[in-house]
Amino acid sequence: MNEGAAYYARRKIGEKKGFAYFLSSLSPLFILLLITAALSFSLSFIISMSEGVDKLLAVMGSGSVRILSYPDSSLLPEGAEISETKTGTALLYAENGENAVMVKGIGEDYLEGIRKSVLDIEYSESEGINPVIVSSSLASSLSLNPGDRLSMLLWEKEEGRARPLLVTVHGVFRSVYPQLDKHLVYAPIDLVDGPSSFEILLPEGQDAEVLVSALWKSGIPAESCRTMYSSLYQNVRQSIGILSFLIILVAALAAFFSSDAAHFYISRDRNDIQGMRLLGIGRREIIGVYMLITVSYVAVAAVLGMVLGIIISSLSPSLISFISSVSPALFDYYITSFEVVIPVRELVLMLLAMIAVSSISVFLMLRRSRLLP
């Protein structure tokens, strides 16, 4: 491209043309911008949700790794928390209804450390008799508040009987994953019958599968949270897989919209193109100019769409928390508290794919175009 053609391309891209010209040139790619924003939001939202589910399966479930005997401390990575627990089943009877629950017997320090940073617990002023902690979704279904008393019929498997207990709601934690915590009750470990297990909660960034492998090599049977809750985790992975397919689809749509935009720019500049030809600029150079113009605007539209999608995704936790507080049933199968993750690698790959496919599409369209003299 000679200096004149390069100057012409810069002017057509918007140099010294003003914002109104820039917007009018971007208008043929407005739908592409919206599609890119939607996919960028979806990528960020699903990946954030996936990492949030990973974290909550460990915190609300049975730890990052569950074992049946206390391990040698040298096997545990730095920052890992290990807690003894027992699990049982029970029926709760309150004034406004009853509910089947899973009772997890825990020690005094179980809800400290990493769990304390995740769970927002509202405690009553005093523990009361047989203190238990329930989720806000369970408390809402039974109209419970901190300090209330209710009856619990706790099943004792070893004795083959149900034991009635009077318990006090010592605390209520904000429900963050109703599918896991809607029927979960924390109780003192000495109330729950049955064998103990040990939950190992790993700090962020530690791989549970690596620890599982190390424990098995030391003769300690272990199971990671992804294995324990494989169906829940698989649902999230399938959602991410669908998004990978959508990236390919958006790249194909980029080819369509970029070709349409190139046609628009050529029709708009028909008189200018004839003037370039009179100045001795060849057809190949004109094709290069309009490839540069079109692909530049495709890149701008894609980047603006990504920024818009990221902004919307950053607001999604607050929006979901608000909706879940108004209509909790809508989010029974979704987490309502998570940190937004910006998938930089996936977004960059999507941008590169769109630009690459658009470049090929525009080049082929320009070569075949009868609008170019």
Side-chain angles (χ1 to χ4, degrees):
M1 189 183 299
N2 62 36
E3 185 177 344
Y7 176 74
Y8 177 85
R10 291 197 304 271
R11 293 284 290 171
K12 289 299 180 180
I13 288 173
E15 185 178 280
K16 299 179 182 180
K17 286 282 190 177
F19 190 64
Y21 178 86
F22 172 78
L23 286 181
S24 65
S25 298
L26 200 61
S27 60
L29 297 167
F30 181 69
I31 296 178
L32 179 63
L33 185 151
L34 294 181
I35 293 172
T36 307
L39 185 59
S40 300
F41 164 75
S42 300
L43 274 170
S44 179
F45 181 77
I46 293 297
I47 291 175
S48 300
M49 187 77 72
S50 173
E51 295 196 6
V53 167
D54 263 356
K55 186 175 184 178
L56 290 176
L57 285 179
V59 171
M60 306 298 302
S62 298
S64 307
V65 176
R66 183 178 64 184
I67 54 179
L68 300 179
S69 59
Y70 201 92
D72 188 330
S73 58
S74 63
L75 296 173
L76 302 181
E78 185 178 352
E81 300 174 5
I82 183 166
S83 306
E84 180 184 6
T85 63
K86 294 181 180 180
T87 57
T89 56
L91 291 174
L92 288 183
Y93 294 93
E95 183 178 352
N96 295 296
E98 61 276 338
N99 211 326
V101 295
M102 185 193 82
V103 181
K104 178 172 284 191
I106 60 173
E108 293 181 358
D109 61 346
Y110 183 83
L111 296 175
E112 299 296 326
I114 297 173
R115 289 184 178 87
K116 186 176 182 179
S117 66
V118 174
L119 300 178
D120 181 16
I121 305 177
E122 178 189 356
Y123 288 101
S124 63
E125 295 181 359
S126 59
E127 284 194 358
I129 184 172
N130 297 327
V132 298
I133 297 174
V134 301
S135 68
S136 59
S137 56
L138 178 58
S140 177
S141 66
L142 296 179
S143 300
L144 298 174
N145 294 298
D148 288 352
R149 291 187 176 184
L150 65 157
S151 299
M152 175 189 288
L153 195 61
L154 184 62
W155 176 251
E156 295 181 331
K157 186 175 180 180
E158 293 185 357
E159 301 293 334
R161 66 183 183 185
R163 176 161 58 109
L165 294 168
L166 181 64
V167 299
T168 304
V169 179
H170 177 46
V172 176
F173 63 87
R174 186 168 63 90
S175 182
V176 290
Y177 196 179
Q179 192 172 8
L180 276 180
D181 59 41
K182 191 173 184 178
H183 301 282
L184 176 63
V185 173
Y186 292 116
I189 194 169
D190 55 6
L191 288 183
V192 183
D193 183 39
S196 295
S197 62
F198 296 88
E199 297 180 7
I200 303 172
L201 195 56
L202 298 176
E204 193 170 348
Q206 295 283 348
D207 191 344
E209 300 301 330
V210 172
L211 178 58
V212 168
S213 178
L215 290 169
W216 274 100
K217 288 178 181 178
S218 300
I220 301 174
E223 190 176 19
S224 71
C225 63
R226 291 185 181 181
T227 303
M228 288 182 278
Y229 302 99
S230 58
S231 59
L232 293 178
Y233 185 73
Q234 189 61 31
N235 288 339
V236 177
R237 301 312 302 175
Q238 287 175 352
S239 298
I240 294 176
I242 292 172
L243 285 176
S244 300
F245 168 75
L246 288 178
I247 290 176
I248 299 173
L249 182 60
V250 167
L253 287 172
F256 171 77
F257 287 112
S258 59
S259 296
D260 187 61
H263 189 279
F264 169 82
Y265 300 141
I266 293 170
S267 299
R268 178 194 65 182
D269 302 334
R270 186 175 299 174
N271 292 335
D272 294 334
I273 293 171
Q274 290 176 351
M276 291 175 67
R277 292 290 281 161
L278 291 175
L279 292 173
I281 297 176
R283 192 173 191 276
R284 292 184 63 181
E285 286 187 302
I286 294 175
I287 288 175
V289 166
Y290 279 90
M291 269 200 67
L292 177 62
I293 293 171
T294 306
V295 175
S296 296
Y297 277 119
V298 167
V300 170
V303 170
L304 290 177
M306 287 180 184
V307 171
L308 179 61
I310 290 171
I311 292 173
I312 297 173
S313 65
S314 67
L315 301 175
S316 58
S318 300
L319 179 62
I320 287 177
S321 295
F322 172 74
I323 296 174
S324 64
S325 65
V326 175
S327 183
L330 288 176
F331 291 94
D332 275 356
Y333 296 93
Y334 298 92
I335 60 175
T336 57
S337 178
F338 58 92
E339 296 179 1
V340 175
V341 177
I342 306 302
V344 176
R345 184 186 64 181
E346 288 80 0
L347 291 176
V348 170
L349 287 174
M350 182 176 72
L351 178 62
L352 293 177
M354 290 174 63
I355 292 174
V357 174
S358 296
S359 299
I360 296 170
S361 174
V362 171
F363 177 73
L364 295 176
M365 179 267 175
L366 292 173
R367 286 195 63 181
R368 296 194 303 266
S369 176
R370 296 181 180 179
L371 295 175
L372 292 176

